[in-house]
Amino acid sequence: MRTGAAAVVLLLLAVPHQAYWPDYEVARRGLLAVLVGLACLLPGTLPARVPLAVGPWNALALWFLARCIGATNHGYALETAAHMLALAALLLFGTAVPLTRMLAATLPTGATVALWTLAQAFGWIDALPGVHDVTATLGNRNAAAEVLALCGAASALLAVGPRGESVSARLRWAAVVTLAACTAALVCNGSRSGLLALPVGCLPALLRPGRVPILAVLAAGVGLWWALGDAPRAPQQPNTAAVAAPSTVEVRLELWRGGLDMVRDRPILGHGSGQFGTEYPRYRRGREWELSTFGGRFLAAPAAAHNDFLQVAIETGLPGLVLLLVGAVWVLCRAPWSSSGPLLCFAVLASVRAPLGNAPAVATAALLGGALLHGSAGRMLALPFRQRLLKGVLVGGMLLWFGVAQLGSQVAAAGMLRRTAARTDPAGQLAAVERALRLRPYDHTLRGLRAQASLQQSAWAKARTDLEFLRRTRPDDELTARLWITLLRGEGRHQEARSALEALRRNAPDDPELALWSAELSVQFGDGRAAVATLYAARDPRLRAQLAVLLDQLAGFAERHALADAKLLRTEQAFVATIDRMTEAPGSDAAERAFERFRGLLVASGTSRGDARPLVLFAIQALALGKRQTAATLAGVAKTRTLEPQHRALLGALLIPLRALPEWRAIL
């Protein structure tokens, strides 16, 4: 592979972007497989002589292939093995190119991603549709940071010059400019892992005296960001989730503890190539779930261990981890210390992120790792032409097969998401995702998308087919469980839906959507009191803000179906509406009307005699109007009645003025 070809491959991996790809990483890994597969099929691309140091990487790729046996999802397993074969092939291609030329091949990608990031951050170009972080063209902020850090470390090495190789002055200046741009872009990006990895990657260049002061270039990059800080910025969509985001360090620690449990469970063979996302839910810790889902407010399932070394051990066992470490150490030992910066940068990223699945980042590392072995001392292996041809056909054919499937499925599914965003053509949405599934029938995301589209169109049979597949391959997935409950309700199997919902709520007792579903099913089964208790016990502020509306909907449903709990639900809705009115404007006419409506419904229901709520609300209203004596007198009657704890919790701050009265203090 020549320098120009390597530069084009890296650019193609980093630049193309489709905002409606369901999974950017899958699309880019598919593109990488296609490009490497085509290169393998071309005669003469595989080098005739390769260093012995590539042996552990070839063995690792073959071990990934062997660990496809017995995997829960064979499609994911084979795709992961194909990805590792592509990386082993890139390492071979890199051995045929001198390090200086390979470093130069990374400059266009680093400069493009950096300039695009800066332009996006400061509003010079529009942000990508549906993407509001500083992501350049990568669709993910952290994926962009990984590419920027690696290309920045490569630029630092090129600016100083690899030991024993000459670098032209023009190329040095290009490297200096790229390093400054990558530094400024990383500061704009804000990824802490990238900001840590870049200085580590520049460390060998910093320690080696050269004509270019790398520390000054890094400072210039920060200065460039500072100078651009006064430029008009593009308005960004507020991200309320990020405001209250938990510590990512704590999330990672909990994630790694669960990952270590997985390794201890299967230390030799692992859980199978590409099976982390499938198997992890069984080992997921409660604290990690609570942090990642913001206390159950959002669905979140980790797709990676955020530590590539740990993930390799999880999927392929300790033998896979040993092969990975031996291969990395062997390459580093064969190369001068001063040239190891980019690989050290990648190692830092791999310790806290998942760059092994980020196609442009890992392709850059693989090509540079191979170039480090170019011309190194050590035993060389000769590859006869027939052997190279056979390997090229086998590996290239496999990579093309899976690469076309990955990339094609994302392109096809993008049509569905585009129609979904525009809220048009429901039949076209379903047809688009079905085309994608013909290419990748094992894809969990696509199966989930088709199941959701089928449920929206009441196509229960199609939805059941997809959900049964998901329940078989991902039995502990929360989204699958929610969709399964929706299917059971749609099919009229309410008792099964209620049982499945109770099991799911044990893991997420405060989830507002699950609480509402539970209340709806309780009403359908004639247990209105359980429905009210479920909604009152939910602690999510969003559900509390909509509580009167939700109770009104439940009451309307009960009235339409002539259910016995219709009056109870209507009374409770009036109670919550009264609390809302008194909270907004205590003592107002609106609060008085809401109270009279609630009292009338309570009397009509025949349950007013033992209920203290009318007296409590009347006393609150009297205090708001300055009638302290009236409020104190009502306490004598309220002593003989009951105020349920759930009602007391709903009244909340409204009870504070009453507690100031000695007559009410003992009651409340």
Side-chain angles (χ1 to χ4, degrees), residues 618-629:
F618 194 12
I620 293 171
Q621 188 77 345
L623 277 180
L625 295 172
K627 301 177 181 179
R628 182 185 179 89
Q629 187 58 44

Side-chain angles (χ1 to χ4, degrees), residues 462-481:
K462 285 186 177 180
R464 175 170 283 276
T465 300
D466 289 325
L467 291 176
E468 285 178 344
F469 171 84
L470 290 172
R471 293 184 77 210
R472 185 172 64 255
T473 56
R474 303 190 74 176
D476 299 297
D477 182 64
E478 188 176 348
L479 176 59
T480 301

Side-chain angles (χ1 to χ4, degrees), residues 537-600:
R539 293 180 292 178
D540 190 278
R542 294 169 299 169
L543 191 146
R544 174 60 189 90
Q546 297 294 319
L547 190 53
V549 175
L550 297 175
L551 285 168
D552 181 62
Q553 292 173 356
L554 288 177
F557 174 83
E559 289 165 353
R560 287 193 302 273
H561 293 81
L563 299 177
D565 292 316
K567 288 184 178 180
L568 168 67
L569 293 168
R570 189 59 69 188
T571 302
E572 296 301 322
Q573 185 270 334
F575 171 57
V576 175
T578 303
I579 294 176
D580 292 343
R581 293 291 180 272
M582 288 187 173
T583 302
E584 294 170 1
S588 66
D589 291 340
E592 181 67 27
R593 287 194 299 271
F595 169 67
E596 291 299 334
R597 179 171 176 270
F598 163 63
R599 187 165 62 176

Side-chain angles (χ1 to χ4, degrees), residues 93-116:
F93 293 148
T95 61
V97 181
L99 181 58
T100 298
R101 292 170 59 186
M102 191 60 78
L103 291 169
T106 67
L107 296 183
T109 299
T112 301
V113 175
L115 292 177
W116 202 297

Side-chain angles (χ1 to χ4, degrees), residues 609-620:
R609 288 198 174 185
D611 198 328
R613 286 182 294 173
L615 296 172
V616 172
L617 292 172
F618 194 12
I620 293 171

Side-chain angles (χ1 to χ4, degrees), residues 34 63 92 150 217 233 248 260 267 270 278 308 331 333 337 394 399 420 439 444 446 449 452 493 500 621 655 666:
V34 169
W63 181 242
L92 283 177
L150 272 169
V217 178
R233 293 175 179 264
T248 57
L260 289 173
T278 300
D308 280 332
V331 170
C333 289
W337 157 253
L394 291 177
L399 294 181
T420 302
L439 292 169
H444 292 152
L446 297 179
L449 288 173
Q452 292 179 58
R493 300 161 65 179
Q621 188 77 345
L655 296 178

Side-chain angles (χ1 to χ4, degrees), residues 80-281:
T80 304
H83 181 61
M84 297 305 296
L85 285 171
L87 297 183
L90 282 176
L91 190 72
L92 283 177
F93 293 148
T95 61
V97 181
L99 181 58
T100 298
R101 292 170 59 186
M102 191 60 78
L103 291 169
T106 67
L107 296 183
T109 299
T112 301
V113 175
L115 292 177
W116 202 297
T117 297
L118 293 171
Q120 192 182 83
F122 296 114
W124 301 331
I125 60 173
D126 293 333
L128 299 170
V131 178
H132 303 284
D133 288 329
V134 181
T135 63
T137 57
L138 292 233
N140 180 282
R141 184 169 66 93
N142 291 305
E146 290 165 6
V147 174
L148 288 169
L150 272 169
C151 291
S155 301
L157 177 56
L158 185 60
V160 172
R163 179 166 295 176
E165 298 186 28
S166 61
V167 182
S168 67
R170 183 179 299 178
L171 201 54
R172 286 181 188 271
W173 278 110
V176 167
V177 172
T178 302
L179 176 57
C182 287
T183 305
L186 266 177
V187 176
C188 287
N189 179 286
S191 169
R192 286 174 292 182
S193 57
L195 290 171
L196 171 65
L198 178 58
V200 171
C202 294
L203 186 62
L206 282 168
L207 296 177
R208 180 187 169 195
R211 286 176 287 175
V212 178
I214 297 301
L215 193 59
V217 178
L218 291 173
V222 177
L224 177 63
W225 167 79
W226 186 270
L228 293 172
D230 294 330
R233 293 175 179 264
Q236 294 190 359
Q237 177 174 310
N239 187 345
T240 55
V243 175
S247 167
T248 57
V249 174
E250 188 178 1
V251 173
R252 279 177 169 79
L253 290 175
E254 290 297 326
L255 186 61
W256 294 343
R257 290 188 183 104
L260 289 173
D261 290 339
M262 297 178 74
V263 175
R264 280 191 288 267
D265 196 17
R266 302 194 67 179
I268 304 302
L269 296 179
H271 293 266
S273 301
Q275 302 304 295
F276 174 83
T278 300
E279 303 293 339
Y280 174 72

Side-chain angles (χ1 to χ4, degrees), residues 8-29:
V8 169
V9 166
L10 294 178
L11 264 178
L12 286 176
L13 291 175
V15 173
H17 177 83
Q18 165 56 264
Y20 293 105
W21 280 339
D23 192 324
Y24 304 118
E25 300 303 312
V26 169
R28 295 187 186 281
R29 286 196 295 270

